[in-house]
Amino acid sequence: MADMTVGQILRVKDEIMGRVEEAFTWQSFVYIGLLVFSLFLLLIYAAKWQKNFSVYYTVIFTLIPLSVAGAYYLSISNTTTEALISQKFVYAGACFLPYLITMAIMDLCNIKISKLIRVLFLYLNVIIFMSIQTTEFTRFFYKDFHIETVNGGVALAREYGFMHTVYIALVILYMVIGFFAVVYSLFFKKDVPKKRAFLLMFIEMFSFASYIVEKTVSLNLAISLASYVFAEILFLIIIRRISIFNIRDTVVDSITKLGDEGYISFDRRLKYLGCIGIAPEVFPELKKTQVDRKAAKNPFFKKEILPLIWDFKQSGKSKPVNVERGETIYQMTVAPLFYGKKRAGYQVHIIDDTWDRKQIDMLDRFNDYLQEKVEEKTRGLNEMHDNLILSMATVVESRDNSTGGHIRRTSDCVGILIDEMKKDPECEVVKDPTFCKNLIKAAPMHDLGKIAVPDAILQKPGRFEDWEFEEMKKHAAEGARIVHEILKDLDKSDNEEYRKFHVLAENVAHYHHERMDGSGYPEGLVGEQIPIEARIMAIADVYDALVSKRVYKERMSFEKADAIIMDSFGKHFDPELEKYYIAAKPRLEAYYTEEDED
């Protein structure tokens, strides 16, 4: 260098500057501008990136600067080899960007494409890209190529192979698919914002126009690359609101930010995957728990979490479990964990249930208070009702000089018979506690019909004449009518027990003088035509009449009364009740012995 003359140095300087001036054509400056701008857009995208963004957007914003850089290096190439290498960089974007932009449009239009179709298109693009990268050897994409100057810039003159035709057809297909997807979304899909659809339409229209201009006017790659950069701008406008419209992710983000819900996740093999939200606050042990470890080896999971998951696996349903932390109550439930459409494991949902639990507890206490008051009022009404019935029966009995204490004693006798029937596991009738209670309660009403019998007959000290007995027999039907009038309003009640009592009490009054052989009154019913309550009442009624003192007779001995009763089973009384009478006989005799002593 030291031996060079000043003139030689100046000539070298002029030669270098000339080459620089040749290299930096107007297209080079356009590419530098596009490169800087695309990198600037990439930085904006990186700042706005969120986990719910599709991978298509990220690859698009990465490949566009790479393609622009390749176009710039192509514009300053001095040899065919340099130009071919630069062209390969350009096609790194040109091969994949139409595919990626189309897939991004489909994603933004909420149009699902099967995984098989997406993979097939991707593989086809890879094959085209590999044919470009190996063009020196295969000649599938370029049959021949050399460098030349076009419009003041360097370009690669090429003779195309059949793979280039495939590439052009594929680009046109992507444009058609994207265009129809946007049009369909614009007019028919309600889940796609109209503004988004219009912006996507601009991308499609601008891409198509730039492709036509590039093929009809020799402007090298500037127009196509400018359309990609324009698409970046529109994508940035669109993705600014993508997160808001992604309901699943925004809901999860809102839940975790609000701090009243949390999740603990496990894979199918019950390995711990992690937790979010309030989970670490509810269970501080999670902060020290290593992920990707089997839950069964962790004492905390084994005690607190795994029983819930095992129960869920067995039953297919999650039973809520409450966990108290101070004054706060959390509720835990288990649900499947999905990865896409596949079931990937289990997740434990934790929610702050304090307010709901307090409200439920308050309502429970209030309901208990109301229930207590209702039961108190009901008891009062029932007692008043029972006293009214007993009072009416007592009034009737006070008119009959011969039956003092009859209604009380028959009610007690019915109770003794019922007790013996309850001891038989095969006795179906007494398995209903309502029936037993109602029969004892209705027993005092069986002779209410005597209120309609004239005093001369009812109070006669001796035995009845035939015509008097006929009058007396009317008390059964009259008693049923009176009971019906007294209790008819119970049929309007929502309480089934009240309605059952009405029917039973009316049957007792109406049919307690019927006989199994049909010789009874008032209707001469036979066998099981007589309601079971009336059959039981008949035994108590006759037994009391036999062993009690009346104005027209002395009390009969237990032995003689027993003989009459036993002889009457199958004729007067139900033979199925004989064993219960026999079992109750000791208690009945003890009861009447005590009555005599009193």
Side-chain angles (χ1 to χ4, degrees), residues 476-586:
E478 184 63 19
R481 187 189 68 78
I482 293 172
V483 170
H484 178 78
E485 290 298 320
I486 293 173
L487 302 179
K488 64 182 180 181
D489 288 339
L490 295 182
D491 290 339
K492 303 175 183 177
S493 170
D494 293 333
N495 192 320
E496 182 67 19
E497 184 175 337
Y498 289 167
R499 291 196 290 269
K500 287 182 178 179
F501 176 70
H502 178 195
V503 174
L504 185 146
E506 194 170 331
N507 286 340
V508 166
H510 202 173
Y511 303 117
H512 69 282
H513 284 297
E514 298 286 356
R515 294 170 178 253
M516 295 295 289
D517 60 7
S519 61
Y521 63 87
E523 295 184 5
L525 301 181
V526 178
E528 292 188 358
Q529 292 179 344
I530 308 169
I532 184 62
E533 52 267 28
R535 285 179 258 161
I536 297 171
M537 186 71 230
I539 296 174
D541 189 35
V542 173
Y543 188 84
D544 181 76
L546 292 174
V547 301
S548 298
K549 182 180 179 180
R550 299 291 172 89
V551 294
Y552 56 85
K553 77 173 187 69
E554 292 295 324
R555 63 177 299 276
M556 189 178 293
S557 68
F558 293 130
E559 292 77 11
K560 190 173 181 180
D562 177 60
I564 294 173
I565 295 290
M566 292 297 294
D567 186 58
S568 299
F569 280 108
K571 293 179 287 186
H572 187 165
F573 306 126
D574 184 354
E576 295 294 328
L577 300 177
E578 181 178 353
K579 57 184 176 180
Y580 305 122
Y581 163 75
I582 294 172
K585 188 165 56 172

Side-chain angles (χ1 to χ4, degrees), residues 294-312:
K294 286 190 175 181
K297 295 182 178 180
N298 185 301
F300 161 67
F301 287 143
K302 194 172 182 180
K303 178 182 177 182
E304 301 286 348
I305 306 299
L306 287 184
L308 277 71
I309 297 178
W310 288 330
D311 184 68
F312 175 76

Side-chain angles (χ1 to χ4, degrees), residues 38-303:
S38 64
L39 289 172
F40 174 69
L41 295 177
L42 175 61
L43 292 175
I44 294 176
Y45 173 80
K48 291 181 173 293
W49 182 88
Q50 295 183 27
K51 62 180 179 295
N52 57 328
F53 286 178
S54 171
V55 67
Y56 299 127
Y57 316 140
T58 302
V59 181
I60 288 171
F61 277 82
T62 304
L63 284 181
I64 289 176
L66 184 63
S67 295
V68 176
Y72 165 69
Y73 287 122
L74 177 62
S75 69
I76 62 173
S77 297
N78 291 316
T79 65
T80 300
T81 300
E82 291 177 358
L84 183 60
I85 293 173
S86 300
Q87 189 75 10
K88 290 179 180 181
F89 274 97
V90 172
Y91 271 105
C95 276
F96 294 104
L97 283 171
Y99 166 79
L100 293 169
I101 291 175
T102 301
M103 292 299 106
I105 288 174
M106 302 298 280
D107 181 67
L108 290 168
C109 291
N110 294 330
I111 298 175
K112 304 297 181 183
I113 300 179
S114 70
K115 184 178 180 180
L116 177 62
I117 294 177
R118 286 186 280 116
V119 171
L120 287 176
F121 274 114
L122 180 60
Y123 283 168
L124 187 56
N125 283 278
V126 170
I127 292 171
I128 294 172
F129 179 69
M130 293 306 298
S131 71
I132 297 169
Q133 301 305 307
T134 59
T135 192
E136 299 97 331
F137 315 108
T138 61
R139 308 287 174 156
F140 292 147
F141 199 84
Y142 295 148
K143 292 181 179 180
D144 191 20
F145 50 87
H146 61 275
I147 194 172
E148 65 180 20
T149 302
V150 179
N151 292 335
V154 175
L156 192 67
R158 297 146 292 192
E159 182 182 351
Y160 296 115
F162 75 92
M163 288 301 293
H164 184 271
T165 304
V166 175
Y167 164 73
I168 295 299
L170 199 58
V171 170
I172 294 174
L173 178 61
Y174 287 142
M175 287 184 180
V176 172
I177 293 173
F179 176 78
F180 279 106
V182 172
V183 171
Y184 176 73
S185 300
L186 190 61
F187 291 101
F188 300 105
K189 287 185 70 65
K190 301 297 183 183
D191 57 345
V192 178
K194 298 302 180 185
K195 182 178 179 180
R196 180 192 299 180
F198 278 118
L199 291 174
L200 293 174
M201 180 63 76
F202 278 126
I203 292 176
E204 285 295 307
M205 293 176 64
F206 195 82
S207 297
F208 179 75
S210 64
Y211 179 80
I212 297 298
V213 171
E214 181 183 318
K215 293 302 179 183
T216 55
V217 180
S218 183
L219 292 176
N220 291 340
L221 300 170
I223 293 296
S224 293
L225 295 174
S227 71
Y228 288 144
V229 174
F230 177 71
E232 282 186 292
I233 297 172
L234 297 184
F235 273 127
L236 281 176
I237 295 173
I238 292 171
I239 65 177
R240 190 173 71 88
R241 290 185 58 81
I242 281 179
S243 297
I244 298 177
F245 286 99
N246 192 317
I247 301 300
R248 286 176 296 182
D249 291 331
T250 52
V251 167
V252 172
D253 291 341
S254 299
I255 287 172
T256 55
K257 292 293 183 184
L258 289 173
D260 57 359
E261 293 191 43
Y263 294 89
I264 308 173
S265 298
F266 301 87
D267 67 10
R268 295 177 67 91
R269 294 181 295 173
L270 294 180
K271 285 187 175 181
Y272 173 55
L273 301 177
C275 61
I276 59 172
I278 62 173
E281 298 176 15
V282 179
F283 300 110
E285 298 91 338
L286 294 172
K287 298 176 182 179
K288 301 177 182 179
T289 303
Q290 177 66 46
V291 297
D292 201 30
R293 294 285 180 87
K294 286 190 175 181
K297 295 182 178 180
N298 185 301
F300 161 67
F301 287 143
K302 194 172 182 180
K303 178 182 177 182

